[in-house]
Amino acid sequence: MESRKTLSLVLLLLFNGVLMAQDMKWQLVWQDEFETDGLPDSQKWEYDLGDGCPQLCQWGNQEQQYYMSERLKNARVESGKLIIEAHQEKIGKSDYSSARLVTRSKASWKYGKIVVRARLPKGRGTWPAIWMLPESGFYGGWPESGEIDIMEHVGYIPDTVYGSIHTKTYHHSIGTQKTKGLVVHDAESEFHDYSIIWDEHKIDFLMDEATYFTFNNEKNTHREWPFDQKFYLILNLAVGGFWGGKFGVDQQIWPQKMEVEFVRIYQKQETK
């Protein structure tokens, strides 16, 4: 009799879980389809500027680019795509110009499905990224408040993209970052959807709707899981750096560009 009661309870919980899942659906809450040529929409995007000095020279990663603001050469909407383009040119102490677009102070999200459709640059020394940082840094400076790298690619490994997270316990500075690479033979020639699905339990990393990496909430402390706060989105193309420039920078490939067809942010909403 007791085993029957236990079985009935399990079935009831499973049934209720199915009903709850059916009562929730993804709702588009933010998007940029890049439909108007010119500078990126200033209502949605702003720029990180310069080389990161004096706080974080070369943005903390020994990169070689200088990030420009409102400069069509480095960031523009063209024929339905956002173009982030790096050029070989001397600006300040940097040998390259590029752009880093952020939604900081304009839009940020706690949980959801973040999808960015992009085609990546090619060549040794390129380091494009689609990633997220915390809006307020509730738990402190990097890496305590976390970082979500939806997609990173380095030109000297042309057929692989990477999804990663960084926290106080897990980060690259001490060699404990949680990361996984995915072989994508045509990442530099074709557009793909790079995305995460993030909730209070885990972060799934996907390419073209297929999950290839999951980071689970261990339910310990914020040192392992600071992902219970709002994060904003970053799109950038770096040059060189400790990872992108590990084998140097090819001087013959410039300019190079990352192209983005759309950015779409979804969150779960109850259905009536």
Side-chain angles (χ1 to χ4, degrees):
M1 178 66 72
E2 193 64 34
S3 62
R4 288 182 180 178
K5 287 182 179 179
T6 301
L7 178 60
S8 297
L9 178 60
V10 169
L11 291 173
L12 179 61
L13 290 172
L14 288 172
F15 179 72
N16 286 337
V18 170
L19 287 180
M20 288 179 65
Q22 291 175 343
D23 287 341
M24 302 291 287
K25 68 175 184 178
W26 291 115
Q27 179 173 318
L28 187 65
V29 297
W30 193 94
Q31 67 187 121
D32 198 337
E33 304 292 330
F34 305 113
E35 296 174 330
T36 304
D37 285 2
L39 291 171
D41 187 346
S42 62
Q43 298 299 309
K44 296 179 178 179
W45 303 98
E46 62 180 48
Y47 303 83
D48 278 336
L49 307 177
D51 58 8
C53 292
Q55 290 85 5
L56 286 172
C57 286
Q58 292 77 50
W59 302 103
N61 295 316
Q62 295 84 53
E63 302 156 27
Q64 297 182 35
Q65 80 287 334
Y66 193 98
Y67 285 131
M68 307 297 289
S69 172
E70 297 184 329
R71 190 185 192 216
L72 290 170
K73 184 176 181 178
N74 298 114
R76 62 188 179 276
V77 176
E78 182 178 282
S79 302
K81 301 178 185 66
L82 170 67
I83 310 295
I84 299 178
E85 192 163 81
H87 289 260
Q88 187 177 40
E89 58 180 328
K90 191 72 174 179
I91 299 183
K93 296 181 180 180
S94 302
D95 294 322
Y96 299 86
S97 66
S98 189
R100 179 157 124 170
L101 274 64
V102 301
T103 66
R104 184 182 56 243
S105 77
K106 296 180 182 294
S108 58
W109 308 272
K110 176 183 174 181
Y111 309 143
K113 181 178 182 179
I114 291 87
V115 186
V116 179
R117 184 167 181 80
R119 179 164 59 192
L120 308 182
K122 58 185 175 182
R124 181 167 44 88
T126 59
W127 185 0
I130 301 165
W131 53 302
M132 305 183 80
L133 285 175
E135 183 72 51
S136 64
F138 181 77
Y139 296 112
W142 192 93
E144 291 198 53
S145 289
E147 174 182 326
I148 305 170
D149 297 326
I150 299 172
M151 188 289 305
E152 286 186 280
H153 177 266
V154 287
Y156 66 86
I157 313 176
D159 63 353
T160 306
V161 298
Y162 297 85
S164 309
I165 66 90
H166 300 278
T167 71
K168 179 66 172 178
T169 298
Y170 305 119
H171 63 94
H172 69 264
S173 298
I174 56 175
T176 58
Q177 74 273 19
K178 297 293 185 178
T179 185
K180 186 171 183 180
L182 175 70
V183 173
V184 186
H185 292 295
D186 59 357
E188 298 175 345
S189 60
E190 301 296 332
F191 284 89
H192 292 283
D193 292 350
Y194 301 101
S195 57
I196 59 168
I197 296 177
W198 163 34
D199 61 26
E200 65 268 33
H201 304 295
K202 60 187 175 71
I203 303 174
D204 288 326
F205 291 75
L206 305 87
M207 195 206 74
D208 294 340
E209 297 296 320
T211 301
Y212 68 93
F213 171 48
T214 296
F215 176 72
N216 291 301
N217 183 356
E218 299 171 3
K219 302 189 186 301
N220 290 327
T221 71
H222 75 271
R223 295 168 63 90
E224 294 76 34
W225 182 269
F227 304 112
D228 55 355
Q229 57 183 311
K230 287 187 174 183
F231 277 62
Y232 64 89
L233 184 66
I234 307 168
L235 307 174
N236 73 283
L237 172 51
V239 178
F242 76 86
W243 190 21
K246 184 176 181 179
F247 296 101
V249 177
D250 188 340
Q251 303 296 307
Q252 308 305 315
I253 63 172
W254 309 99
Q256 286 293 322
K257 59 187 176 183
M258 177 167 71
E259 301 170 84
V260 180
E261 281 195 346
F262 61 73
V263 177
R264 296 172 184 167
I265 314 294
Y266 302 85
Q267 290 187 315
K268 287 286 184 73
Q269 303 290 335
E270 289 188 13
T271 60
K272 295 183 180 180

